[in-house]
Amino acid sequence: MTAKERILSRIRTAAVPREDYFRTETPVQPASIDLFCERVADYRAIVHRVSQDEVSATLNRICEGRRCLVAADFEFVIEGAIADAGFTHAELVDFETTITSCAVGIAESGTIVLDAGQGQGRRAITLIPDHHVCIIRADQVVSSLEEGLERVMVTRPLTFISGPSATSDIELVRVEGVHGPRKLEVLVVKA
Amino acid sequence: MKIQLFITCLNDALFPRTGVATTEILERLGHTVEFDPRQTCCGQMHLNSGYTDEALKLAESWLDVFEGAECIVSPSGSCVANVREMFAHMGEWTQTPGLVERAQAMDGKLFELSEFLLKFGGVEELQPYFPHRVTYHPTCHGARALGLSDSPEKLLRLVEGLEFIELDQKWQCCGFGGTFSVKNADTSTAMLEDKCATIWDSEAEYCVAIDNSCLMHIGGGLKKQGKAPKVIHLAEVLASRRPE
Amino acid sequence: MSGGGIRPATSFTSAARETLKNRTLRANLGFATRTICAKRERVVDEIEDWQATRSAGAALKDHALANLEENLLLLEKQVEAAGGTVHWAATAQEAVEIVAKIARSHRISEVVKVKSITSDEIELNDSLKKQGIEAIETDLAELICQLADDSPSHILVPAIHKNREEIRQLFATKLGVEIESSEPHRLAEVARLHLREKFLTAKMAVSGANFAVASTGSIGIVESEGNGRMCLTLPDILVTIMGIEKVLPEWSDVATLMRLLPRSSTAERMNPYTSVWTGVTPGDGPQEFHLILLDNGRTNVLDDPVGRQTLRCIRCSACLNVCPVYQRVGGHAYGSVYPGPIGAILTPQLLAMADENANTLPFASSMCGACYEACPVKINIPEVLAYLRGKTHKQPVELAAFQVAYWVMSDSRRFSAALRGKRIGASVASMFGLVKGWTDSREMPEVPAESFRDWWRKRDR
Ligand code: SF4
């Protein structure tokens, strides 16, 4: 018997009784942008609330004097920012900041989710540079985890981000920044 | 109310004072107290030590004795929890016909003493008097398994002359755990030391609880360390009266 | 070694006797666990109906386990459809062999690892080493343990037993870097620089999994530091070892899990990073993905109607933090990569209740119930402990004592007789086991002049 057959036959022998199981429908609730911003900021990420007109100026200001990377299909124009041209990992090390959009924001937990969609690029570009700036439109913010999961493309690579990288491994003291970006800024664009 | 007293084997043998106090409280509240001498042990000690077959038989005899009673009160959170929770579990484990139903039929009939007093009231009328500094240790089975949390403290606050001191780290187990205190004596002792230290730091004269098993352990630890605070069961505090 | 396996080398009692002597450990642990418990309460209180959320978690896991075969087969199908390869490993050895074979086929002698207790369970690092393959731990705490040649003592914070100064010295000697301060952020920086190089050059990564979704073939890893993302994104080859009980049926089920897990583990609303991937994605991340589905005793657990709730465990470690026994003896006393209350029930069951040392673990509890109260998937740990105690062999002396006690207690006349007059002292001592272990640290209670039943009988007359 193969390992697979052995395992499956043992599962069958265990004959765990099945019971009815119902998933509760979570009602769609209007998301609170305030709560989202508050919870993102709780993780010591920097939150900017801007209007559509202010986006470019704000991004330019954040990126000034920094070597900036954006996804190839990023929708805003930033002076001096370089679009991802399939750089090697070693080359990515030379970028200080990456700017992306995201798929959804979850107010309940203060989480942004990247799903490799428009303006987000491949995972490595938001990982290697030490500073990640993420833009989210107010209408991308949902209230619950359930709603958030519904909005992403599950079969693409997903990254759920709740604040900058952190560890509490030494005496349970929280330290921001170990391997992932040590600085996270989130631009929330008003509707 | 007609109340059948579930004294528990440990109280019967070692802490009759608690049983006497419980009887007195219930009678002064106007209840009729009965004691069925066929009762022995609910089987907790056997169950806890891994003697499931023996525990099961003791559980069944316990039900034989108490099933007919309309109301049962016991001065032990731990033993009540054993009946309420573990009887049904044992029934499920061993597929013993009827045991789960028999155990569930005790719901609403069997009470730990403080639970009974809080539910039916009347403690003020007893005019308890205990002019001492007192702290309260919420024993685990009472606080968690019975869900009493620290509610028995409310009863202590009704006692005249009593100065109540909240115990630091009160939710920490004292380390008794029945067979655990013998089998893993070193670990049990480490837990006991910490509990004794908080009691000592509270500067209370008495540490009160609703379980004499834990109190026997804590009291034994305090005495061994030559520390002053004494232990006393809640029933004995509530039964105390101002001297005539 | 940073592995460890699940077979305790001694009984819990004697291992605990040793670890209890270490006062520094007890102080570190006491501080750490108290801090995390207080934080946990705050984020749990924020949830409107935490009890209902726990029940939902328990029901979800039960449902997933009741349909385990279908879930695993669907998972396999979906992972393969997305370009991954699925392997099945009935034992630890089989799993290790699969990993080694993948490494060998690519001539790889160094792999980076994301913290995974499952890999520690199968002693992956040691076994790979014997085959000339170096496994480098990238989680800060695991790195600390690996450098110290020490085993993890906590599921979530494996180096909880080490303080900052110990870590500074360790980094200084093992990594050869002068570190002027033992501030945690400085130490983290040292680890960052040390591992950066490894991440950028590693060809192969090995990870565990926090969950898998059968319907989509997606795998998820929950972490804080970003080392997980590094391992899951930068190398060319990714091998994930997952216990078969981790599979969930649907993508939406992940919401329930994610509401419970970070709060119960790191006491946060959400952990910094959760990565989810499905097979391979051209142009993004590893282009070769292997999923190893591991049994290694889990089907023993599944086979027991009472014990099977143990498989609901999401490895959050809340039960460790609240456990008064764990707080004092620390993780090493449990002799297995699974410490604390979950270890006390999981380890002996994985070993089919056939390992004498592991069978002492269910007795490592005062039955205080704090673990059950904290467990996000409502595993009734005290119930399982009591149940498993019944499945262990008893020492003849003890057995005899309990049989005598039973003989007395099973008959009210015998019981009454035992409590009469002067006999109380001796019979009580033997009945309640108040023997040497007891009187070492506690005085015996005073024996009353008469039992309650004797008092009652006189009063009745
Ligand atoms: S048993 Fe429960 S509390 Fe303990 S680690 Fe598992 S899920 Fe968490």
Side-chain angles (χ1 to χ4, degrees), chain B residues 213-224:
Chain B
S213 48
C214 304
L215 285 176
M216 167 172 87
H217 170 75
I218 297 171
L222 287 168
K223 249 201 245 168
K224 192 94 183 180

Side-chain angles (χ1 to χ4, degrees), chain A residues 55-73:
Chain A
V55 176
S56 290
T58 314
L59 289 178
N60 280 323
R61 190 161 37 78
I62 294 174
C63 299
E64 214 189 307
R66 289 188 171 135
R67 209 170 126 80
C68 251
L69 179 72
V70 294
D73 55 356

